[in-house]
Amino acid sequence: MLSCLLLATLTCAAPAGAPPGAPTVLAARPPTPLRIDFVSVGQGDAALVTSPTGKTILIDGGPREAGPALTAQLRARRVSAIDLVLLTHRHEDHLGGIAQVVRAVPVRLFMDAPFPHPSQIYEELLETLQERHVMVRAATSGRTIDLGGGAVLTLLGPPDPPIARSRSDVNANSVVARLDYHTVGILFAADAEPQTERWLLAAERARLRAQILKVAHHGGRYSSTAAFLGAVSPTIAVISVGEVNGYGHPTPEALARLERAHAHVYRTDRDGTITVETDGARIEVTTARGKREILAAR
Ligand SMILES: [Zn+2]
């Protein structure tokens, strides 16, 4: 079982905020919060999850030029190993920085959506994973990954059977995942297309509600449909997007729908890296550029 694999391989991440050279505390200690850093990687996605028990998951790795920002984030967070790298789909703006991460720290498991999208950069990533002896598995819907301390990652997608004849079938068949910690839910919508959202509404409606939403497809025009946002009902919406991008992301249409859904919007292009911390009841959002917001989960 995947969850058992992860349970058997605790990370070596030092506790957040521990001073350099501090002794490793092996005795039981109060649980640290669940933390998600939506790393500012330009036009692309990358989110580093640190569980209450110190397990680490990287969901996507930004474009190729994001490698240095990601490895700097790992150093800043004192992450010395990653339990799981989850690639939501095989586009360069999500996978480009992963090889550099894999070369920087040991990665125990790599999972990605099985939908094919051959490219040289993906082949290079597979070679790097092989060189570094990283276990590779397909990310299929229904899998749950126990992060310990009550935090669980559930893969709601990719859609099964795969979506065809969409604007981008690679995007449409992204891995959509939700992270739960007590009463707090975080939904990672990858680059979901409207068809993905419709599939999720039909197949997983009861599991879409979440206080925090990583907005689909960088705030693209067609994703984040009103029906989907209604089901998720996010308080916080995070858009991972580059300051200069040729796509017009985030689009006025998606921003207007998020506003109508009463979501507080954070954007990596304006806010820099966005950090969410939660003890399972209280949610704190801080940004690299000094914004701070605290809210109760319910
Ligand atoms: Zn993308």
Side-chain angles (χ1 to χ4, degrees):
M1 288 288 290
L2 178 66
S3 54
C4 299
L5 279 172
L6 282 169
L7 280 173
T9 54
L10 286 165
T11 72
C12 305
T24 305
V25 180
L26 295 175
R29 60 178 189 274
T32 51
L34 173 72
R35 173 172 170 143
I36 304 111
D37 295 295
F38 296 94
V39 185
S40 180
V41 290
Q43 182 66 10
D45 269 18
L48 178 65
V49 175
T50 312
S51 86
T53 55
K55 293 187 183 200
T56 45
I57 297 181
L58 181 67
I59 302 178
D60 289 332
R64 194 191 288 267
E65 57 272 21
L70 284 173
T71 52
Q73 184 73 18
L74 296 177
R75 277 195 302 277
R77 297 281 302 123
R78 300 162 191 252
V79 172
S80 56
I82 294 180
D83 291 284
L84 168 65
V85 172
L86 175 64
L87 173 61
T88 61
H89 62 295
R90 300 177 185 179
H91 277 157
E92 194 269 344
D93 59 322
H94 295 250
L95 73 84
I98 293 176
Q100 195 165 333
V101 167
V102 172
R103 286 193 291 267
V105 295
V107 170
R108 299 194 167 102
L109 176 64
F110 171 88
M111 293 172 75
D112 74 345
F115 196 87
H117 183 65
S119 68
Q120 183 163 351
I121 192 166
Y122 183 70
E123 284 307 311
E124 287 168 11
L125 173 58
L126 290 183
E127 282 167 24
T128 306
L129 291 168
Q130 200 171 17
E131 274 166 26
R132 299 287 164 147
H133 308 292
V134 179
M135 190 161 45
V136 175
R137 294 285 182 273
T140 50
S141 63
R143 277 189 188 265
T144 58
I145 295 148
D146 186 351
L147 302 179
V152 178
L153 185 75
T154 305
L155 308 190
L156 303 183
D160 183 16
I163 289 169
R165 294 182 295 282
S166 64
R167 290 177 60 256
S168 163
D169 289 347
V170 184
N171 285 345
N173 291 292
S174 292
V175 177
V176 173
R178 70 169 292 134
L179 180 57
D180 285 286
Y181 186 42
H182 300 295
T183 60
V184 175
I186 303 110
L187 188 69
F188 296 88
D191 277 3
E193 289 281 329
Q195 289 91 333
T196 324
E197 296 180 355
R198 274 201 292 280
W199 180 81
L200 287 164
L201 285 167
E204 298 284 0
R205 177 182 279 273
R207 292 203 282 181
L208 294 181
R209 186 164 289 264
Q211 292 92 345
I212 300 143
L213 171 67
K214 198 297 292 175
V215 172
H217 198 210
H218 322 286
R221 179 185 305 168
Y222 303 102
S223 308
S224 307
T225 56
F228 184 71
L229 293 181
V232 180
S233 191
T235 308
I236 303 288
V238 175
I239 302 178
S240 192
V241 66
E243 256 176 275
V244 180
N245 69 78
Y247 308 99
H249 291 161
T251 59
E253 292 88 343
L255 290 171
R257 288 192 292 273
L258 287 164
E259 194 180 333
R260 282 198 289 275
H262 307 293
H264 305 192
V265 173
Y266 288 81
R267 305 166 44 162
T268 56
D269 59 338
R270 295 191 178 165
D271 297 314
T273 293
I274 297 153
T275 298
V276 174
E277 283 188 284
T278 177
D279 60 4
R282 179 178 171 275
I283 300 166
E284 180 171 350
V285 186
T286 51
T287 73
R289 299 193 186 148
K291 273 198 228 167
R292 185 160 180 258
E293 178 179 12
I294 297 172
L295 51 138
R298 284 184 285 190

